[in-house]
Amino acid sequence: MKKHYLSLVCAALLGLPLAVSAQGSFGLVEQTLPNPTNEPREVFPVPSERQMKWQETEFYAFFHYGMNTYTGLEWGNGDEAVNTFAPTAQPDPEQWLRLCKAAEMKGGIAVVKHHDGFCLWPTETTDHHCQNSSNAFARQTNIPRDFAAAAKKLGMKYGFYVSPWDRNSAYYGTDRYVTDVFLRQCFELSQYGTDQFEMWFDGANGGSGYYGGANTTRSIDASYYYDIPNLRDSVHRVCPDIILWGVGGEARWCGTESGYTNETTWSMGSGLSGSETEWKWMPSESDAKATSAGWFYHDGETTKDSETLFKMYLETVGRNATLILNFPPNKAGRLTDADSTQLYALGEKLRTRFGTDLAKTATIRATQTRSGGAYNVTNLVDGDKNTYWATDDGQTSAAITLTWDEPQTVRYVMLQEFIRKGQRIKSFTIETTEDGTSWTQRASNIQTTTVGYKRIIPLNGSTSASYGAGYQVRGLRIRITDSRACPLLHTLSVF
Ligand code: FUL
C-alpha cells in the first residue's frame, strides 16, 4: 500500500500520466488518449480564447482626447479647472470610428481618462469630470457611452484607455485610490459594453502632480499597487473577451511607439522580439502616432502620409504584432480633414495591395503532409482559419510550392500559423521561379524567422518601397527550415 502511494506521489511530481491497472493497483503507463485524426499536440504556451479574439482585431485606432486637447499639454498636471474642457462642438466618436473603418481598421480605443485624472464620463468616483464643466457641449459629453454606441452601429470593436496614474486624485499612492477610484472606474467603464475587446493601461506610474492640492511626488510599485488580479477578475466577469493591456498583463507593449517592431517577434516574453522560451503567452501590440506633434491634438500639426502609415502596418501587423494607430480629435471633438484624406488613402492602399490573393488560383503542393487526412496543403488556401496544413511529428522542415499556368506579378507573401496550438516556426525562406526550373531567393535581407499569427514579407525586401514593379513568376516556394515542433499553417497568401 505504502509502495503504491509513493509511486503515485513520484509520478505526480514528475508530471507523468497515471492509470489504474486491471488488478486495481496503481502503475505508470504511456498516455493513450484516442486521437483518430492524428491531431498535433500543443506546443506551450498557447493563447487564451480572448487573446485569440484580440489578435484577430489586428489593426485598430487610438483616440487621445480630453483636457490636454484644450491646454496643449501632453501630460496635464491634474490641477486644470473643469471649465477648461470646452469643446467647440459636440464631440463625435462616430466620425472618428467611421473614418478609421475606411482605413480597414477593425476597432478603436478611446482615452477616457489620461494622467491628469479628468474623466470623459459622469463618474461617481470624482467631481473632476466633463459633465461638471460649464461648457454646454461638455455637459452632454459621455465618451464611453457614445463611443460604444458608434462602434456597435459600425460593427467595430471598442475599448477604453483609463490611466492608472491620476495626478488629480488626493488619494493617489494610498490603498483608497485603488479601491475607491481606480478599480471602480474600470468597473464603471466595463458597464458601457460587455463586448469590449481591450482596456488600455499605460506604463506611466506615479511622479509629481496636483493630488488634490498637495502638489507632491508620489511613487508606487505598479507590480502590486493596482491589485491587478482583482481587477482582471472583476472586469472579465462583465466583459469576458476583454484583454487588459500593459499593466493588466494579457498583452505586451512591443517596445517602441513608432509603428515598428522587430522582424523576429515571438508572442511570448517581452519587448521587441519576445522570447522563444518564455512560458507565458504575451502577444505584442505596437502603439504609434499618425500625426506629427503628440498623442493629443496640437494646432498646426500635420498628418503622416498614407505611404508612411502603410509602412507602419507592414512593420507591425506584418510582424506578428497588432497596430494601434493614434488619431487625435481636435477642439471640436473631430478628426481633421487631413486625417480623413490619409485614412481614405490608406484604406485604398490596403485594399488594392492585399485585395487579390493569387495563391487561390495556383496549384499547391507540399513535400510533407501529416497523416490523418485532415491536414492537406489545400487548407492553406481555403479561406478557413480553422483548417490547417501540418507535417508529421518530428518533421520540422518542409517546402510548399505554388505554380501558375500563366506568369503572375507578385509583391507580398503572407503566412499565418495556427497559433491555437502554439507559435512554432523559427526560420523559412521564400523563392520564386520565372521558368519553372531555376529558383531565386527573395527578401534575403529580411529575417525570415518567426511567423506567428501573421507575417507579411515584401518580396523585394523593402518595407519603404514595397509596392514596386513586383516579380513576374510562374512558381513560388516557401521552405520551412526550422520549427519548435511540426509546423502548422492555416493560410498562405500571395499578392
Ligand atoms: C504613454 C502615456 O504616457 C502617453 O501620454 C500616451 O498616452 C501613450 C500612448 O502612453 O504611456
Side-chain angles (χ1 to χ4, degrees):
M1 185 62 201
K2 195 166 182 193
K3 193 172 151 226
H4 289 149
Y5 173 74
L6 271 178
S7 64
L8 179 64
V9 171
C10 293
L13 287 174
L14 292 168
L16 297 172
L18 294 165
V20 180
S21 76
Q23 285 76 33
S25 61
F26 291 103
L28 303 180
V29 291
E30 288 296 305
Q31 186 175 11
T32 53
L33 293 173
N35 186 7
T37 57
N38 191 24
E39 190 177 336
R41 267 179 297 218
E42 285 82 0
V43 174
F44 291 100
V46 296
S48 65
E49 193 53 40
R50 68 170 67 96
Q51 284 171 319
M52 275 307 304
K53 288 184 181 160
W54 171 87
Q55 187 89 54
E56 286 166 358
T57 311
E58 292 190 11
F59 180 30
Y60 38 94
F62 219 175
F63 302 107
H64 275 70
Y65 175 66
M67 186 61 86
N68 294 336
T69 310
Y70 301 92
T71 58
L73 297 173
E74 279 287 298
W75 281 14
N77 188 48
D79 57 357
E80 296 78 15
V82 286
N83 290 349
T84 309
F85 180 77
T88 58
Q90 197 60 52
D92 185 1
E94 192 178 325
Q95 186 247 14
W96 316 348
L97 283 167
R98 202 179 337 101
L99 292 178
C100 291
K101 188 174 181 178
E104 298 296 322
M105 293 191 217
K106 294 187 190 151
I109 304 250
V111 172
V112 294
K113 184 186 88 166
H114 203 252
H115 310 331
D116 54 57
F118 185 72
C119 297
L120 296 182
W121 78 101
T123 173
E124 287 176 6
T125 59
T126 175
D127 291 337
H128 201 54
H129 67 73
C130 55
Q131 296 200 358
N132 283 334
S133 166
S134 57
N135 175 286
F137 297 119
R139 295 185 77 78
Q140 300 298 317
T141 296
N142 181 333
I143 296 295
R145 178 196 62 198
D146 297 346
F147 192 74
K152 284 178 203 285
K153 184 171 167 189
L154 294 165
M156 296 176 83
K157 295 199 186 183
Y158 66 99
F160 305 112
Y161 169 130
V162 51
S163 171
W165 184 25
D166 189 321
R167 298 175 107 181
N168 175 264
S169 175
Y171 306 130
Y172 188 80
T174 67
D175 287 352
R176 184 161 177 190
Y177 170 73
V178 178
T179 53
D180 292 8
V181 182
F182 180 59
L183 295 188
R184 277 180 64 192
Q185 289 179 343
C186 294
F187 194 66
E188 281 182 6
L189 290 170
S190 67
Q191 309 283 323
Y192 281 98
T194 54
D195 53 348
Q196 292 174 47
F197 86 108
E198 177 173 345
M199 199 173 265
W200 215 93
F201 306 104
D202 56 272
N205 284 298
S208 64
Y210 169 71
Y211 303 126
N215 289 311
T216 48
T217 297
R218 301 205 173 153
S219 32
I220 54 96
D221 182 343
S223 64
Y224 66 85
Y225 178 61
Y226 296 114
D227 195 3
I228 296 302
N230 187 17
L231 170 69
R232 264 202 302 260
D233 284 356
S234 318
V235 174
H236 284 157
R237 233 171 276 139
V238 185
C239 307
D241 289 341
I242 207 165
I243 285 295
L244 291 126
W245 185 87
V247 79
E250 293 185 289
R252 75 174 196 259
W253 182 44
C254 81
T256 72
E257 289 186 334
S258 52
Y260 170 91
T261 194
N262 279 0
E263 290 167 345
T264 299
T265 296
W266 292 97
S267 291
M268 303 84 88
S270 56
L272 277 160
S273 284
S275 160
E276 181 192 334
T277 52
E278 281 285 334
W279 63 275
K280 194 175 173 196
W281 191 265
M282 190 58 72
S284 181
E285 178 186 84
S286 168
D287 56 338
K289 299 169 201 147
T291 47
S292 59
W295 291 102
F296 286 87
Y297 173 81
H298 299 276
D299 289 334
E301 71 186 1
T302 54
T303 310
K304 291 172 186 160
D305 65 88
S306 60
E307 201 60 55
T308 304
L309 301 177
F310 180 76
K311 179 174 186 275
M312 286 183 182
Y313 178 92
L314 285 181
E315 293 181 346
T316 54
V317 178
R319 293 179 180 171
N320 192 32
T322 62
L323 173 58
I324 178 164
L325 187 57
N326 189 65
F327 284 88
N330 64 13
K331 290 178 175 145
R334 281 168 174 67
L335 303 196
T336 64
D337 289 348
D339 294 341
S340 167
T341 304
Q342 298 308 331
L343 281 161
Y344 274 100
L346 176 61
E348 185 61 30
K349 286 191 167 69
L350 288 167
R351 283 186 295 277
T352 325
R353 296 177 183 184
F354 301 130
T356 310
D357 185 357
L358 301 169
K360 290 195 189 300
T361 58
T363 303
I364 184 163
R365 293 187 190 85
T367 54
Q368 235 282 324
T369 294
R370 187 178 185 86
S371 55
Y375 312 103
N376 292 337
V377 75
T378 47
N379 291 344
L380 287 172
V381 289
D382 65 0
D384 183 348
K385 64 184 179 187
N386 296 312
T387 65
Y388 53 93
W389 162 83
T391 62
D392 281 327
D393 289 338
Q395 185 75 40
T396 52
S397 61
I400 303 155
T401 309
L402 299 170
T403 51
W404 294 270
D405 295 337
E406 299 298 323
Q408 309 289 319
T409 308
V410 299
R411 295 182 180 87
Y412 305 99
V413 165
M414 186 186 89
L415 293 165
Q416 291 193 274
E417 281 188 82
F418 188 75
I419 55 168
R420 283 176 186 280
K421 286 181 180 286
Q423 189 182 347
R424 298 160 179 246
I425 295 175
K426 293 169 69 162
S427 77
F428 62 100
T429 59
I430 304 174
E431 299 157 307
T432 59
T433 180
E434 253 176 82
D435 56 11
T437 46
S438 62
W439 293 83
T440 310
Q441 191 177 340
R442 300 294 174 196
S444 54
N445 60 320
I446 288 181
Q447 287 177 30
T448 43
T449 45
T450 49
V451 174
Y453 168 75
K454 185 174 270 191
R455 185 80 198 264
I456 304 171
I457 305 286
L459 293 174
N460 66 1
S462 168
T463 46
S464 325
S466 63
Y467 204 71
Y471 299 103
Q472 297 290 308
V473 307
R474 277 176 195 276
L476 186 144
R477 184 158 70 194
I478 314 290
R479 283 181 193 274
I480 296 164
T481 49
D482 198 10
S483 183
R484 290 171 69 221
C486 61
L488 316 181
L489 283 171
H490 74 72
T491 297
L492 160 60
S493 297
V494 178
F495 304 103

